[in-house]
Each structure stands twice: as structure tokens, then as C-alpha cells.
Amino acid sequence: IRVVKAAADHSRLKWKETNSFVLRRGPYVIASGLDESVEGPAKVIEGKFVSLFDPELQLQNRVELKPATRVFLLDLNELKLKGPQVLATACKSLPKESRRGTYELTIEGVGRTQGIILMHMPSQPKSVSLAGEPLEFDYSKKEKLLWMRFKNEPFPRELRVDLR
């Protein structure tokens, strides 16, 4: 620690000891609550986040970094969202050339596992289908977020979001 403090001082960087580690790179945040560190209250980060470790890809506005907490977040406030855009998935998803009023993806994943796709969607879809079959979805009008859940299969299938 003495050598690192000296290097920071030499570089005119402020040295500060905390009980958390937060690294931001573009829209991503990697953070940890340190369990062998200085005493103090847990650090709280606020914003509009999706935890990429969460199998439900739920929206979180507040993340508390208690000791031994590890998070990998997508900071939605750092994204420049306009039209439909895939934000996170638990499958492989490749965009297809879509017609006006639709958004199409080719998806595949590890067989018999839970798949989910979180998309930014400016308006609520009229319907969503997977391999021609209707698919239930959740939509947040306030956040303009669309969650689609399904069982993964190890072969390509077409996911179609109809906007009108």
C-alpha cells in the first residue's frame, strides 16, 4: 500500500480508502462491497440499472454494496436509446432485417434452459411470437422496456415483435 500511495502522490492523484470498488466503462458498472476493508456504511449507487447477474433482468434504481456483494450492471442512463434495441439476453440473438412495424431476431440457446430478452421498445408491442407461436411478455410503458421469457432451444428460431 505504501508504494501505491507514493505512486498516487507522485502522479498528483488523491488517495482515498473505501469499503467498495466501483469501475465504470461506458454503460457498464462492475462493483463490489469489500469484506476486508475500512469500516463504514455500505456504498449505495443510484440510477437506472439492470443487473446482468439477475436471471430476470429486473430494473433496479438503487444498489447497495454490502461486504462480499458483487454486481455487474448495465446503466440505462448511459445509453442513447431511440428505436428498438436489445439490451441484455440469456441466449444468442441476431437481428434480422425487419419490416416497418416489426422487429425480428433469430435466437438460440442452451436447450431446456430459461431464456430472456430485455429490449428498449419505444411503444408497447401489439404481440410477440416465437417460431410462429404467441409469446407472453411484460412491458413497462414508463421505462419503455420489454421483457420476453421463453425456454431456450439449441437451434435457431424466429422471434417477432409486432408494433402495430
PDB file of all heavy atoms in Angstrom, residues 81-99:
ATOM      1  N   LEU A  81     -30.753   5.679 -26.234  1.00  0.00           N
ATOM      2  CA  LEU A  81     -31.804   4.808 -26.748  1.00  0.00           C
ATOM      3  C   LEU A  81     -32.811   5.602 -27.569  1.00  0.00           C
ATOM      4  O   LEU A  81     -33.306   6.624 -27.115  1.00  0.00           O
ATOM      5  CB  LEU A  81     -32.513   4.110 -25.584  1.00  0.00           C
ATOM      6  CG  LEU A  81     -31.613   3.247 -24.708  1.00  0.00           C
ATOM      7  CD1 LEU A  81     -32.347   2.806 -23.454  1.00  0.00           C
ATOM      8  CD2 LEU A  81     -31.124   2.044 -25.488  1.00  0.00           C
ATOM      9  N   LYS A  82     -33.102   5.105 -28.763  1.00  0.00           N
ATOM     10  CA  LYS A  82     -34.108   5.736 -29.620  1.00  0.00           C
ATOM     11  C   LYS A  82     -35.118   4.688 -30.052  1.00  0.00           C
ATOM     12  O   LYS A  82     -36.190   4.598 -29.517  1.00  0.00           O
ATOM     13  CB  LYS A  82     -33.453   6.425 -30.815  1.00  0.00           C
ATOM     14  CG  LYS A  82     -32.643   7.636 -30.412  1.00  0.00           C
ATOM     15  CD  LYS A  82     -32.081   8.365 -31.597  1.00  0.00           C
ATOM     16  CE  LYS A  82     -31.252   9.542 -31.084  1.00  0.00           C
ATOM     17  NZ  LYS A  82     -30.501  10.187 -32.103  1.00  0.00           N
ATOM     18  N   GLY A  83     -34.766   3.870 -31.035  1.00  0.00           N
ATOM     19  CA  GLY A  83     -35.673   2.846 -31.522  1.00  0.00           C
ATOM     20  C   GLY A  83     -35.513   1.551 -30.757  1.00  0.00           C
ATOM     21  O   GLY A  83     -34.817   1.500 -29.735  1.00  0.00           O
ATOM     22  N   PRO A  84     -36.150   0.477 -31.251  1.00  0.00           N
ATOM     23  CA  PRO A  84     -35.987  -0.827 -30.597  1.00  0.00           C
ATOM     24  C   PRO A  84     -34.516  -1.224 -30.529  1.00  0.00           C
ATOM     25  O   PRO A  84     -33.766  -1.045 -31.485  1.00  0.00           O
ATOM     26  CB  PRO A  84     -36.763  -1.780 -31.514  1.00  0.00           C
ATOM     27  CG  PRO A  84     -37.739  -0.914 -32.225  1.00  0.00           C
ATOM     28  CD  PRO A  84     -37.049   0.408 -32.399  1.00  0.00           C
ATOM     29  N   GLN A  85     -34.117  -1.734 -29.357  1.00  0.00           N
ATOM     30  CA  GLN A  85     -32.718  -2.132 -29.170  1.00  0.00           C
ATOM     31  C   GLN A  85     -32.640  -3.216 -28.109  1.00  0.00           C
ATOM     32  O   GLN A  85     -33.207  -3.079 -27.031  1.00  0.00           O
ATOM     33  CB  GLN A  85     -31.892  -0.914 -28.736  1.00  0.00           C
ATOM     34  CG  GLN A  85     -30.428  -1.200 -28.564  1.00  0.00           C
ATOM     35  CD  GLN A  85     -29.637   0.059 -28.222  1.00  0.00           C
ATOM     36  OE1 GLN A  85     -30.066   1.172 -28.434  1.00  0.00           O
ATOM     37  NE2 GLN A  85     -28.466  -0.149 -27.671  1.00  0.00           N
ATOM     38  N   VAL A  86     -31.921  -4.306 -28.426  1.00  0.00           N
ATOM     39  CA  VAL A  86     -31.679  -5.363 -27.450  1.00  0.00           C
ATOM     40  C   VAL A  86     -30.686  -4.836 -26.426  1.00  0.00           C
ATOM     41  O   VAL A  86     -29.636  -4.311 -26.773  1.00  0.00           O
ATOM     42  CB  VAL A  86     -31.134  -6.640 -28.131  1.00  0.00           C
ATOM     43  CG1 VAL A  86     -30.735  -7.674 -27.091  1.00  0.00           C
ATOM     44  CG2 VAL A  86     -32.158  -7.219 -29.103  1.00  0.00           C
ATOM     45  N   LEU A  87     -31.038  -4.990 -25.130  1.00  0.00           N
ATOM     46  CA  LEU A  87     -30.180  -4.517 -24.049  1.00  0.00           C
ATOM     47  C   LEU A  87     -29.435  -5.658 -23.378  1.00  0.00           C
ATOM     48  O   LEU A  87     -28.270  -5.516 -23.020  1.00  0.00           O
ATOM     49  CB  LEU A  87     -31.003  -3.755 -23.012  1.00  0.00           C
ATOM     50  CG  LEU A  87     -31.765  -2.544 -23.529  1.00  0.00           C
ATOM     51  CD1 LEU A  87     -32.618  -1.952 -22.422  1.00  0.00           C
ATOM     52  CD2 LEU A  87     -30.810  -1.508 -24.096  1.00  0.00           C
ATOM     53  N   ALA A  88     -30.110  -6.789 -23.162  1.00  0.00           N
ATOM     54  CA  ALA A  88     -29.486  -7.929 -22.487  1.00  0.00           C
ATOM     55  C   ALA A  88     -30.267  -9.194 -22.844  1.00  0.00           C
ATOM     56  O   ALA A  88     -31.474  -9.124 -23.076  1.00  0.00           O
ATOM     57  CB  ALA A  88     -29.479  -7.724 -20.977  1.00  0.00           C
ATOM     58  N   THR A  89     -29.568 -10.323 -22.896  1.00  0.00           N
ATOM     59  CA  THR A  89     -30.216 -11.587 -23.223  1.00  0.00           C
ATOM     60  C   THR A  89     -29.591 -12.740 -22.447  1.00  0.00           C
ATOM     61  O   THR A  89     -28.456 -12.647 -22.003  1.00  0.00           O
ATOM     62  CB  THR A  89     -30.096 -11.949 -24.716  1.00  0.00           C
ATOM     63  OG1 THR A  89     -28.738 -12.299 -25.000  1.00  0.00           O
ATOM     64  CG2 THR A  89     -30.534 -10.826 -25.625  1.00  0.00           C
ATOM     65  N   ALA A  90     -30.362 -13.816 -22.341  1.00  0.00           N
ATOM     66  CA  ALA A  90     -29.838 -15.089 -21.845  1.00  0.00           C
ATOM     67  C   ALA A  90     -30.013 -16.089 -22.986  1.00  0.00           C
ATOM     68  O   ALA A  90     -30.661 -17.122 -22.853  1.00  0.00           O
ATOM     69  CB  ALA A  90     -30.570 -15.537 -20.590  1.00  0.00           C
ATOM     70  N   CYS A  91     -29.478 -15.714 -24.132  1.00  0.00           N
ATOM     71  CA  CYS A  91     -29.476 -16.542 -25.334  1.00  0.00           C
ATOM     72  C   CYS A  91     -28.667 -15.794 -26.394  1.00  0.00           C
ATOM     73  O   CYS A  91     -28.292 -14.647 -26.201  1.00  0.00           O
ATOM     74  CB  CYS A  91     -30.898 -16.806 -25.851  1.00  0.00           C
ATOM     75  SG  CYS A  91     -31.754 -15.328 -26.428  1.00  0.00           S
ATOM     76  N   LYS A  92     -28.430 -16.452 -27.501  1.00  0.00           N
ATOM     77  CA  LYS A  92     -27.820 -15.771 -28.644  1.00  0.00           C
ATOM     78  C   LYS A  92     -28.959 -15.131 -29.417  1.00  0.00           C
ATOM     79  O   LYS A  92     -29.973 -15.784 -29.688  1.00  0.00           O
ATOM     80  CB  LYS A  92     -27.075 -16.787 -29.512  1.00  0.00           C
ATOM     81  CG  LYS A  92     -26.462 -16.189 -30.762  1.00  0.00           C
ATOM     82  CD  LYS A  92     -25.576 -17.220 -31.435  1.00  0.00           C
ATOM     83  CE  LYS A  92     -26.017 -17.492 -32.832  1.00  0.00           C
ATOM     84  NZ  LYS A  92     -25.169 -18.470 -33.504  1.00  0.00           N
ATOM     85  N   SER A  93     -28.809 -13.864 -29.754  1.00  0.00           N
ATOM     86  CA  SER A  93     -29.851 -13.182 -30.530  1.00  0.00           C
ATOM     87  C   SER A  93     -29.192 -12.374 -31.639  1.00  0.00           C
ATOM     88  O   SER A  93     -28.297 -11.580 -31.384  1.00  0.00           O
ATOM     89  CB  SER A  93     -30.704 -12.288 -29.632  1.00  0.00           C
ATOM     90  OG  SER A  93     -29.957 -11.232 -29.111  1.00  0.00           O
ATOM     91  N   LEU A  94     -29.648 -12.628 -32.849  1.00  0.00           N
ATOM     92  CA  LEU A  94     -29.118 -11.925 -34.020  1.00  0.00           C
ATOM     93  C   LEU A  94     -30.260 -11.173 -34.694  1.00  0.00           C
ATOM     94  O   LEU A  94     -31.290 -11.770 -35.011  1.00  0.00           O
ATOM     95  CB  LEU A  94     -28.506 -12.919 -35.001  1.00  0.00           C
ATOM     96  CG  LEU A  94     -27.371 -13.782 -34.453  1.00  0.00           C
ATOM     97  CD1 LEU A  94     -26.983 -14.855 -35.451  1.00  0.00           C
ATOM     98  CD2 LEU A  94     -26.179 -12.912 -34.094  1.00  0.00           C
ATOM     99  N   PRO A  95     -30.091  -9.874 -34.914  1.00  0.00           N
ATOM    100  CA  PRO A  95     -31.162  -9.115 -35.564  1.00  0.00           C
ATOM    101  C   PRO A  95     -31.336  -9.538 -37.018  1.00  0.00           C
ATOM    102  O   PRO A  95     -30.372  -9.902 -37.686  1.00  0.00           O
ATOM    103  CB  PRO A  95     -30.694  -7.666 -35.453  1.00  0.00           C
ATOM    104  CG  PRO A  95     -29.223  -7.740 -35.250  1.00  0.00           C
ATOM    105  CD  PRO A  95     -28.928  -9.056 -34.602  1.00  0.00           C
ATOM    106  N   LYS A  96     -32.585  -9.522 -37.464  1.00  0.00           N
ATOM    107  CA  LYS A  96     -32.898  -9.784 -38.865  1.00  0.00           C
ATOM    108  C   LYS A  96     -33.358  -8.474 -39.486  1.00  0.00           C
ATOM    109  O   LYS A  96     -33.731  -7.545 -38.780  1.00  0.00           O
ATOM    110  CB  LYS A  96     -34.024 -10.814 -38.969  1.00  0.00           C
ATOM    111  CG  LYS A  96     -33.652 -12.197 -38.476  1.00  0.00           C
ATOM    112  CD  LYS A  96     -34.811 -13.148 -38.625  1.00  0.00           C
ATOM    113  CE  LYS A  96     -35.096 -13.388 -40.091  1.00  0.00           C
ATOM    114  NZ  LYS A  96     -36.139 -14.373 -40.316  1.00  0.00           N
ATOM    115  N   GLU A  97     -33.347  -8.430 -40.787  1.00  0.00           N
ATOM    116  CA  GLU A  97     -33.882  -7.262 -41.458  1.00  0.00           C
ATOM    117  C   GLU A  97     -35.387  -7.257 -41.228  1.00  0.00           C
ATOM    118  O   GLU A  97     -36.088  -8.190 -41.613  1.00  0.00           O
ATOM    119  CB  GLU A  97     -33.566  -7.308 -42.958  1.00  0.00           C
ATOM    120  CG  GLU A  97     -33.924  -6.026 -43.653  1.00  0.00           C
ATOM    121  CD  GLU A  97     -33.415  -5.988 -45.081  1.00  0.00           C
ATOM    122  OE1 GLU A  97     -32.329  -6.520 -45.346  1.00  0.00           O
ATOM    123  OE2 GLU A  97     -34.137  -5.426 -45.921  1.00  0.00           O
ATOM    124  N   SER A  98     -35.865  -6.236 -40.533  1.00  0.00           N
ATOM    125  CA  SER A  98     -37.267  -6.175 -40.140  1.00  0.00           C
ATOM    126  C   SER A  98     -38.044  -5.235 -41.045  1.00  0.00           C
ATOM    127  O   SER A  98     -37.515  -4.253 -41.542  1.00  0.00           O
ATOM    128  CB  SER A  98     -37.387  -5.716 -38.689  1.00  0.00           C
ATOM    129  OG  SER A  98     -36.688  -6.594 -37.842  1.00  0.00           O
ATOM    130  N   ARG A  99     -39.323  -5.563 -41.223  1.00  0.00           N
ATOM    131  CA  ARG A  99     -40.220  -4.672 -41.967  1.00  0.00           C
ATOM    132  C   ARG A  99     -40.712  -3.574 -41.040  1.00  0.00           C
ATOM    133  O   ARG A  99     -40.645  -3.696 -39.824  1.00  0.00           O
ATOM    134  CB  ARG A  99     -41.410  -5.470 -42.497  1.00  0.00           C
ATOM    135  CG  ARG A  99     -41.015  -6.540 -43.494  1.00  0.00           C
ATOM    136  CD  ARG A  99     -42.250  -7.183 -44.099  1.00  0.00           C
ATOM    137  NE  ARG A  99     -43.214  -7.584 -43.078  1.00  0.00           N
ATOM    138  CZ  ARG A  99     -43.407  -8.819 -42.662  1.00  0.00           C
ATOM    139  NH1 ARG A  99     -42.690  -9.801 -43.152  1.00  0.00           N
ATOM    140  NH2 ARG A  99     -44.315  -9.083 -41.749  1.00  0.00           N
TER     141      ARG A  99
END
